[in-house]
Amino acid sequence: MQQFEGACQCGQLRYRVRGTVAALFACHCRDCQRQSASAFGMALWLRDAELTLLQGSTACWARHTPGGRVTDCRFCPQCGSRLFHQNRDTPQFLSIKPGSLDDTSWLRPAAHIWTQSAQPWLPLPAEVPGWPGNPDDFAELMAAWQAAPHDCRG
Ligand SMILES: [Zn+2]
Ligand SMILES: [Zn+2]
């Protein structure tokens, strides 16, 4: 069980979350590029997360994926920072946008997915596993995290 704190860009929303890190990866799909309005998205998956809003509130947008799933996407209604994703069919996992954490120094993605749409100027680390799209089984991402050397502070 680890504990992390973070905030949105404008600072009206602060959160604390406790849970067990299950995976940390970068996603280069077009959706993550568009959502972040940047080159890729990062996801920190916590198992059995307990989320506490210390200050402020979130708004929610329900994303319907091409595969028929629904992801609740929570963000700061004032500055628009995306903070949390949760798939309704896997409620045991909370996905955090880890750039919002107070301490980002330990963030080392253990895998890269959707490398087929990665920005061509971005060198991907050879020692980290990659998938051209989604892995067949997301357990592979969790195994990559377990296999990676990491110092997960919190
Ligand atoms: Zn904000
Ligand atoms: Zn993505």
Side-chain angles (χ1 to χ4, degrees):
M1 208 64 150
Q2 284 109 15
Q3 177 170 300
F4 307 97
E5 291 194 14
C8 67
Q9 186 179 13
C10 78
Q12 72 89 11
L13 190 152
R14 283 200 58 80
Y15 66 89
R16 177 185 297 142
V17 66
R18 291 154 58 84
T20 303
V21 176
L24 171 61
F25 60 94
C27 181
H28 302 263
C29 81
R30 288 292 294 128
D31 256 305
C32 284
Q33 290 172 344
R34 207 179 283 282
Q35 185 279 314
S36 64
S38 190
F40 58 87
M42 281 208 298
L44 173 67
W45 283 3
L46 293 179
R47 193 190 302 273
D48 303 323
E50 299 165 27
L51 176 66
T52 305
L53 295 187
L54 301 172
Q55 175 183 305
S57 58
T58 57
C60 186
W61 170 61
R63 172 176 177 248
H64 293 256
T65 71
R69 296 176 177 207
V70 182
T71 303
D72 288 318
C73 305
R74 296 170 70 189
F75 56 95
C76 171
Q78 181 164 284
C79 70
S81 299
R82 188 72 69 79
L83 297 167
F84 314 114
H85 289 172
Q86 198 156 34
N87 289 316
R88 291 187 189 172
D89 55 355
T90 51
Q92 69 274 31
F93 292 107
L94 177 69
S95 179
I96 293 180
K97 304 295 281 182
S100 65
L101 295 176
D102 292 340
D103 179 8
T104 58
S105 63
W106 58 275
L107 298 175
R108 305 268 186 287
H112 289 256
I113 65 173
W114 284 95
T115 57
Q116 67 184 18
S117 49
Q119 288 286 306
W121 47 263
L122 183 67
L124 298 177
E127 70 278 11
V128 172
W131 283 265
N134 277 331
D136 290 335
D137 184 344
F138 278 82
E140 295 176 64
L141 289 183
M142 297 184 228
W145 169 257
Q146 289 301 329
H150 53 259
D151 169 23
C152 179
R153 290 177 217 156

